[in-house]
Every structure is written in C-alpha cells, then in structure tokens.
Amino acid sequence: GRHSCQHRSKETHCCTSCTNINNIITMLVTESFVKTLHKDGVISTPQQSKMLEQLFETHANTNGFDVEYSAGQKKIVAEVKCNIPVNETSFGAAQENSIMEDVDHLFHSKKKSDLTSEDIQDYYKFMVFLDVENVRVSTQKLIRKLTKKGLNVTEYTPKTKLQKDIVYFIYISTEK
C-alpha cells in the first residue's frame, strides 16, 4: 500500500523508514517468540541458542519462512505478522488474505522455501502475532473463519500439546 512518507521509494511505493521499523519490530517479535518457546519447554536451551543465532544471521523478509529451524528434536516453522488490524477489531481484506496465504504456506510450504510440501509435514507450525488486544480479537475471528473452512488452526497456550498437523496462532509481546 501507499504511505504518506517523504522517503517513499518510487519502485515499491513503500517508505524505507516504515519498512525498517517494521523489520525491527518483526525481529523483536521473532526473538521473543523463540524465547517463549524455550520458556514454555517447547525447545531446549541449545535449540534456543541456535535459533537466535540463525535469526540474527538472516535478514527479515528473506524469501523463506521467518523462522525455519530443523536442527534438533523439534523442527519449527513460523510466519511472523506484525500487522495491526485496519479496522478496529478485524483485519482488512488484504491483511486477511495475506495471513490466510501464510497459513496455507505453513501447511504446504512455498516456492521460495527450501522446504518441500512433504518436509513441512514434520514441522511444528506457528503464525506469530504482536500481542495487542485488537490483534487478538481479529485473529480469533479469523481462526473461526479458517476452522469453518476446514483448516486445522488454533490458539497456542503454554500448556498446548503440540501436533504437526495444526497451525498455532501465538501472541508475542516485545516487552522484555
């Protein structure tokens, strides 16, 4: 979309400053996501270290998944969305379509990833969102909509017994 910003790039119509801020927020949320998985006992300390190391070596918005980790007993794949709903308590059509596309990629992989559609079946799958009240309300509506379409999606809680055939929606705060 267009931003009213002096730093707008003619090719992308997106302001560089806004993109950089979004990349920083995405990085912080991704880092907190990895730490949350460790705190909840989903991954071990060595896995957390390797995942964070991998995160800091990779640029945001490279062509694969935001988190793609396979070394260790738990393979993790995740997409990180730092969208704030354009409507007060629901995502706009473009936001919703983007999230639904990411959910589909988590089930079936994507062309730009090294993971095949067979490989991704061995991974625990997460859609990571910024922990903001209107994001929670909007994603809960989206979960109901996706479930009605027959997709296996649910909210993650620390007590969740993870399964590889479900995409977990998890809310992450950037506060330390």
Side-chain angles (χ1 to χ4, degrees):
R2 289 185 180 260
H3 292 57
S4 56
C5 180
Q6 299 158 316
H7 310 287
R8 183 178 20 242
S9 156
K10 287 182 178 140
E11 301 86 56
T12 62
H13 299 293
C14 184
C15 105
T16 307
S17 300
C18 297
T19 301
N20 290 341
I21 290 166
N22 191 49
N23 286 345
I24 291 166
I25 293 169
T26 300
M27 177 73 83
L28 290 171
V29 169
T30 306
E31 178 184 7
S32 293
F33 164 67
V34 171
K35 289 178 178 179
T36 298
L37 291 182
H38 178 258
K39 180 180 62 98
D40 292 350
V42 173
I43 58 173
S44 65
T45 301
Q47 280 181 292
Q48 174 184 259
S49 299
K50 286 220 185 309
M51 287 175 79
L52 290 174
E53 188 178 302
Q54 187 179 310
L55 169 67
F56 295 124
E57 289 172 359
T58 310
H59 282 64
N61 283 335
T62 53
N63 290 327
F65 292 97
D66 293 319
V67 175
E68 194 174 305
Y69 180 78
S70 63
Q73 67 271 45
K74 291 217 172 115
K75 297 177 181 179
I76 307 286
V77 64
E79 287 288 18
V80 179
K81 287 289 190 200
C82 292
N83 311 38
I84 299 298
V86 294
N87 306 313
E88 185 108 357
T89 57
S90 62
F91 292 112
Q95 290 176 315
E96 200 170 276
N97 288 339
S98 175
I99 293 167
M100 289 174 21
E101 187 175 286
D102 283 345
V103 168
D104 184 65
H105 290 151
L106 289 168
F107 281 121
H108 306 291
S109 197
K110 55 177 151 179
K111 290 179 183 143
K112 295 176 182 178
S113 170
D114 293 335
L115 291 177
T116 66
S117 58
E118 293 81 33
D119 292 339
I120 206 163
Q121 303 314 312
D122 289 332
Y123 283 69
Y124 295 99
K125 302 157 186 69
F126 295 89
M127 280 296 305
V128 183
F129 294 93
L130 198 53
D131 192 3
V132 179
E133 184 60 32
N134 58 342
V135 170
R136 279 182 180 263
V137 171
S138 301
T139 56
Q140 287 163 352
K141 286 180 183 177
L142 190 54
I143 286 171
R144 286 192 294 275
K145 190 176 198 176
L146 292 171
T147 303
K148 282 182 185 166
K149 289 184 174 192
L151 292 172
N152 208 355
V153 296
T154 192
E155 283 188 355
Y156 169 87
T157 68
K159 301 202 184 319
T160 300
K161 184 172 176 357
L162 296 178
Q163 294 175 234
K164 295 174 184 170
D165 62 340
I166 297 174
V167 172
Y168 296 96
F169 282 45
I170 182 171
Y171 308 102
I172 298 295
S173 170
T174 57
E175 295 171 17
K176 300 284 179 200

